[in-house]
Amino acid sequence: MDEAIRAFVTFLEIERHASLETIRNYRSDLRQLSTFLRQPGTASPPARIDQVTPEHLRSFLHWLDRKGEKAASLARKLACFRSFYRFHVREGSVLVNPAEQLSNPKLPKPLPRVLTKDDADALMEFPAGQSPLAQRDRALLETLYSTGARVSEVVGLNLGDLNEADGLVHLRGKGRKERIVPIGTVAITAIRSYRASLNPAPVKLPLSAPLFMNHRGGRLTTRSVARIVARYSRRLAGGAVSPHALRHSYATHLLDEGADLRSIQELLGHASLNTTQKYTHLATDQLLAVYDRAHPRAQPTAPAARRKAPKQASQ
């Protein structure tokens, strides 16, 4: 099993160009499965990966479920096992993929948390003071909200990825896909202030140096950014949010102001428009405005009355 896991991880790194987080999670999931299969009491414990059956995998997932593992985590592990065995079927190590016979757990579909525009403005102002850490946190929040970037994309930013003159930033997304997106002047100004607070005297740094650094001068991690966002957003009325909430808010606020879904898809780096639709909310006012402009029988003089109609009908 250990050798099979190493071969699969090498495939993820070299051929799939998977992210470090994906590789870490998949390796952990497979090692956890291997440990479970070796436990005393396992029915017909397999000695090789080609002896693992759907019943073995189902028992493992049931064991995790009884321990209180979340459905999303179970679904990720099952996806990992499918990919693992799909790889070994292609390699000829096994003949049948035992994970293909298992059904995905039902996942809840909560609407993503989206900040109001006032809350987003307030959040940007929370980091106070002129210290390098306060300046960094302000620049970090502004960059997340200004670009709609994933947290992994922001921590991966280098000095050479920011084009201040043109207001653009170079992002490296999932699967090493790259894109260039706009970044607002407020965010650029915040970044300049942060970098100036680090180096009062001119210091020539390589373009490959991280844009956002920790207190030791190393690159920030995704967990560090999550803690920073949580610490400041905890002061909002709705409580703490994740960095991804700023990405949701970015997309939703663009929609509210008239941006089309296709443009937002490009900005977010989504391969499918369906994914973009899941991340965004079409505000009622936006839908009504589109209807008023486009429908020949619309009554644009009385949108407020139409907004009240659904409430009256539901009473």
Side-chain angles (χ1 to χ4, degrees), residues 99-238:
E100 294 291 359
Q101 300 183 31
L102 303 186
S103 301
N104 288 323
K106 291 185 178 180
L107 297 176
K109 295 183 179 180
L111 291 174
R113 170 84 180 273
V114 175
L115 299 178
T116 66
K117 294 173 186 176
D118 287 342
D119 277 349
D121 288 340
L123 180 60
M124 301 301 115
E125 301 294 332
F126 285 155
Q130 299 302 312
S131 70
L133 289 182
Q135 295 284 336
R136 179 203 65 188
D137 293 351
R138 173 79 177 267
L140 184 64
L141 293 173
E142 291 283 5
T143 300
L144 285 165
Y145 181 51
S146 181
T147 63
R150 301 177 180 92
V151 63
S152 59
E153 295 170 342
V154 170
V155 300
L157 284 174
N158 299 325
L159 289 176
D161 293 326
L162 178 63
N163 183 339
E164 295 186 18
D166 295 333
L168 298 172
V169 66
H170 179 197
L171 300 175
R172 298 170 188 82
K174 291 183 176 179
R176 297 190 182 180
K177 293 180 181 178
E178 302 182 13
R179 68 188 188 281
I180 296 175
V181 302
I183 182 171
T185 55
V186 176
I188 291 175
T189 300
I191 292 172
R192 285 176 182 163
S193 299
Y194 161 54
R195 302 303 305 185
S197 71
L198 286 176
N199 301 304
V203 175
K204 186 68 174 178
L205 292 174
L207 295 179
S208 59
L211 182 62
F212 296 108
M213 300 188 296
N214 58 32
H215 65 280
R216 295 184 300 272
R219 191 179 296 275
L220 278 176
T221 65
T222 56
R223 287 189 178 184
S224 296
V225 175
R227 284 194 292 266
I228 291 168
V229 174
R231 182 169 72 246
Y232 291 109
S233 61
R234 200 171 290 122
R235 298 162 61 180
L236 297 173

